[in-house]
Amino acid sequence: MKASHLPSLIIFLAALLLSCSGDNRTFEIGVSQCSEDIWRDKFNQELRTGSYGYDGVTLHFASADDSDTRQIEQINRFVNRGVDLIIVAPNQTNTITPAIENAYRHHIPVIVYDRKSGSNHYSAYIGADNREIGRQMGNYIATRLQGRGRVVEVMGLRGSSPAIERHEGFAEALRAYPGIELAGTLQGDWTGASAERAMRRFLKREKGKIDFVFGQNDRMVMGARDAVMAHDLQSTTRFCGVDALPTHGGGLEQVRDGLLEASYIYPTHGDKVIELAMKILTHQPYEREKKLKSALVTRENANVLLLQAEEVVRQSDDLNRLHDKINDYLSRYNTQRWILMMAVVILILLVAAIFMTYRYYYERIRINEERERMQDQQLNFFTNVSHEIRTPLTLITDPINHIVNRGHLKDHDFDTLRSTARNANELMTLVSDILDFKKIEFDTAGNRIDRQENISDENVPEITETAIREADPSPDDNSETLLIVDDNADIRHYLRVVLHNRFHIIEAANGQEGLRLAREHIPVLIISDIMMPVMNGLELCQQVKGDTATSHIPVILLTAKSEDSQVAEGYKSGADSYITKPFSSAVLMARIDNIMQSREQLRRHYANLSTSVVADGVETSTAVRIDDQSQPSVRDQEFIGRLHDIIQRHMIESEFSVEVMGSEIGLSRVQLYRKVKALTGLSPVELLRKSRLNKADQLLRSTGMNISEIAYTVGFTSPSYFSKCFKDEFGIQPVELMRG
Ligand code: FRU
């Protein structure tokens, strides 16, 4: 995963989590009320309670306080806000028509309720039949007055549809009763105060008795009643209104208490209005003109209706409490969901961060490994190339040195060769510098710093006029065998030239062949290259050191591999010496001399010790100190120990032969001879005889055995021959050592 994908991942997860919460459609509904009073409060409350039945409904309430201008502003604000639906009770029928049509143009559904609009551009109308209300009240009053009496009507706000329609219905009903006189039609504005004022004014000019006052709503008729009672405390005028609100101080109470003789339920039904709104919003079929049912309230049914209304209020309060509780739970649930979501997001971020950190480190490790691998490849390449170049260079410089140092040249030839040698040396230095890239250094200015020491002194042949070798003497027949292993024929040849006067040289072109020759001939020394086909020099060295027959043979590795790690690897394989190319034959000779001397030291040590070591198995002498380098290997010490055991076991057998000794220790005759000779300087036969005499010496000194017994015990068949040999070895007769 790339780091740039992380933000998209988080957004995706957040969206996924949010989408788990289901359908999230929300509806914004604007409610524009013409006035603010208890009837509208009840309506608003019913709307609110009704909306609880739907998810995601938000109501925005506004009241115009009986002002057309304010109501127009409010409706336009709802339109600009982009609400989904507007519910409007127009203050007057025609005045706010432009605002309703504006909403219509913006494709916002409009529900007109209670009061009508002059425009036809609305989605639905819902309200009671006001003409029918007026008619019913007219009939009621006429009936109560038994068709005879004087009646006054107080009208609601001029221009509002209920006022007009209620009046029309009322007047129409009264027309059927000729004995009923409509003594006055007063103008109010739906408020009690307006009716009280109008009635006071009316009573000032009207002197006759008024039997019944019909107020178009309960608030106005109560205002008119106040005026009548103020005018005449004994008045017998009866009153009725419209609304019959079940709330405290509403029409129902006033009818129950006898203040009003009747009222007419003007239904609020906010629940029905919200139901209609949701049908429109969710595109379900609905009635465009919906009439709400209503009924007359008199003293007979007021009490029952009040009780019912109280029950409804109680239930509605319960519902509200329940709703608040649910809201509380919901908000808690939402908070918890957010916390959970954040925890998940943080967890994902954390996992992603851990993953990226891991990737980053993994990538770094991989890059480092790759770099190391490339460096190794480079090193190998340079080593190989340097090997290729250094070898011919060695074969140029060292022979020149050789010729120069022999000193049989004319002056000008000598000078020419010296110059050739100098230039060849320079070329060697240059090649080494270039190829030995790890040692190339640069100063701060970027110039290469010359490091002459890149080629160690021992590797650069120095031309000196003092001859290091005399003219070639031919090797005599007894000269020891030296094995040269190198795949480069020139190197083999050159080494042969350098070494042939001291050693009998045998050659192999690879490690495998070299190993075969080493096992067959048991040479005194092996000089081997490392990089060779079939078997390399390191493996050859390991095999030589791991085989009893050859483990004592010193190995000199002669190679272009000059890295410290490569040298260490060479020594780990068991090499006794490591010389890097280009090499100087003088240095090589000096190394060989050292090794041979160490071996000689070792041999002398064994010559001195062998008899005691081999005879007794205990190192008792420290006559010759040997340095650490020439210590025999653990394997060779074991070999000596085993040889001792074999000799001790078979000493009594006079016919015990070198062949038996060889086969017991697992070596051929030649191998045994060369190995024993190399380690002790004695032949196996000499070693056996020395061991027998040593044992005899020990027996003579420590037991009471006679000469014959001792001679037979240590494997001699004739006591006189034993005595002769003993005298030869120790310079005294055995009888002289006998105890007692
Ligand atoms: C409430 C009210 C009611 C009346 C209705 C007519 O604002 O005045 O009393 O019945 O409006 O629209």
Side-chain angles (χ1 to χ4, degrees), residues 51 75 89 305 365-366 499 527:
S51 73
I75 295 171
L305 287 172
I365 290 168
R366 203 189 58 72
L499 298 167
I527 298 176

Side-chain angles (χ1 to χ4, degrees), residues 650-656 685-686 688-697 707-730 734:
H650 295 281
M651 190 173 274
I652 196 160
E653 301 159 17
S654 57
E655 69 282 10
F656 178 55
V685 174
E686 287 167 340
L688 178 59
R689 202 182 54 232
K690 246 185 166 188
S691 303
R692 284 183 155 141
L693 293 172
N694 262 14
K695 181 77 181 176
D697 177 58
I707 303 284
S708 308
E709 282 169 340
I710 289 175
Y712 294 129
T713 306
V714 299
F716 282 84
T717 42
S718 137
S720 58
Y721 179 65
F722 161 68
S723 295
K724 180 192 172 302
C725 293
F726 196 90
K727 174 92 196 293
D728 290 349
E729 181 67 27
F730 299 115

Side-chain angles (χ1 to χ4, degrees), residues 98-114:
I100 291 178
E101 296 199 331
N102 179 37
Y104 186 83
R105 269 196 306 280
H106 282 82
H107 306 289
I108 298 173
V110 175
I111 295 176
V112 178
Y113 88 102
D114 159 35

Side-chain angles (χ1 to χ4, degrees), residues 33-40 66 90 114-115 130 160-163 166 189-191 216-219 242-243 245 266:
Q33 293 283 18
C34 51
S35 345
E36 197 169 345
D37 49 57
I38 50 173
W39 188 89
R40 303 214 174 259
D66 310 303
D114 159 35
R115 302 184 190 177
N130 281 300
S160 66
S161 67
R166 283 176 198 177
D189 61 6
W190 300 116
T191 63
Q216 284 193 352
N217 71 7
D218 295 335
R219 279 175 293 145
V242 177
D243 282 352
L245 280 173
Y266 188 52

Side-chain angles (χ1 to χ4, degrees), residues 205-220:
R205 60 174 191 271
E206 177 58 49
K207 299 292 173 220
K209 184 180 175 253
I210 304 297
D211 297 306
F212 233 112
V213 176
F214 167 53
Q216 284 193 352
N217 71 7
D218 295 335
R219 279 175 293 145
M220 285 196 300

Side-chain angles (χ1 to χ4, degrees), residues 30-90:
V31 184
S32 171
Q33 293 283 18
C34 51
S35 345
E36 197 169 345
D37 49 57
I38 50 173
W39 188 89
R40 303 214 174 259
D41 288 347
K42 182 168 180 277
F43 175 84
N44 288 350
Q45 189 50 48
E46 285 167 359
L47 266 188
R48 229 175 258 127
T49 313
S51 73
Y52 297 161
Y54 306 93
D55 282 336
V57 174
T58 312
L59 296 167
H60 302 282
F61 293 97
S63 169
D65 288 328
D66 310 303
S67 157
D68 296 331
T69 342
R70 209 169 297 157
Q71 191 160 34
I72 289 167
E73 276 171 20
Q74 282 167 1
I75 295 171
N76 287 342
R77 215 173 303 136
F78 283 144
V79 171
N80 295 338
R81 188 192 174 125
V83 296
D84 300 289
L85 186 139
I86 296 172
I87 297 168
V88 58

Side-chain angles (χ1 to χ4, degrees), residues 141-152:
I141 289 170
T143 314
R144 298 298 288 169
L145 291 177
Q146 293 169 340
R148 194 168 294 276
R150 300 184 74 219
V151 175
V152 170

